[in-house]
Amino acid sequence: MNRKCDAFNCSREVDTGRFLCPSHWRMVPVAIQRSINTRFRACRANFAFLSDLAYLQACVDAIDGIARIEFGAGHAGHQARQGSYHRLLTLAKKKAAT
């Protein structure tokens, strides 16, 4: 089953288990790519990556970085807060704080 790329305003389909389409993935710095891949592999059992702070932060950093490149700094910050990874990160931080 295919899903949509997680970059803002991208309608390209990506294979299951992929975070971004190839064009957007290439825009992500290598260190962030490594972090996403490492944390995803370490936490994929039971979908634990969806509450892993390091994984979610890396995803947010990737999405925000792409938005800054494509739309400029002002647009990125406003749109980024609306993304699902941003909401998951906020929830995971709240859970970790309790």
Side-chain angles (χ1 to χ4, degrees):
M1 176 183 223
N2 289 339
R3 48 184 293 289
K4 300 287 184 198
C5 173
D6 284 303
F8 292 110
N9 297 327
C10 184
S11 59
R12 293 183 199 127
E13 288 191 359
V14 296
D15 292 331
T16 300
R18 297 289 180 196
F19 173 58
L20 300 164
C21 67
S23 297
H24 283 117
W25 184 246
R26 285 190 293 273
M27 296 171 78
V28 176
V30 172
I32 295 174
Q33 288 180 2
R34 281 190 200 120
S35 181
I36 290 169
N37 287 332
T38 300
R39 296 308 306 157
F40 178 81
R41 285 185 197 110
C43 300
R44 79 176 144 205
N46 301 320
F47 296 95
F49 59 91
L50 293 175
S51 61
D52 182 76
L53 289 173
Y55 173 78
L56 293 171
Q57 186 63 63
C59 291
V60 165
D61 292 346
I63 291 168
D64 287 351
I66 292 167
R68 278 191 297 278
I69 291 167
E70 292 186 332
F71 304 111
H75 182 80
H78 174 72
Q79 288 294 332
R81 284 190 281 278
Q82 306 305 316
S84 60
Y85 282 93
H86 293 76
R87 288 189 299 273
L88 288 169
L89 179 59
T90 299
L91 291 172
K93 284 180 178 179
K94 285 180 184 177
K95 184 177 179 180
T98 57

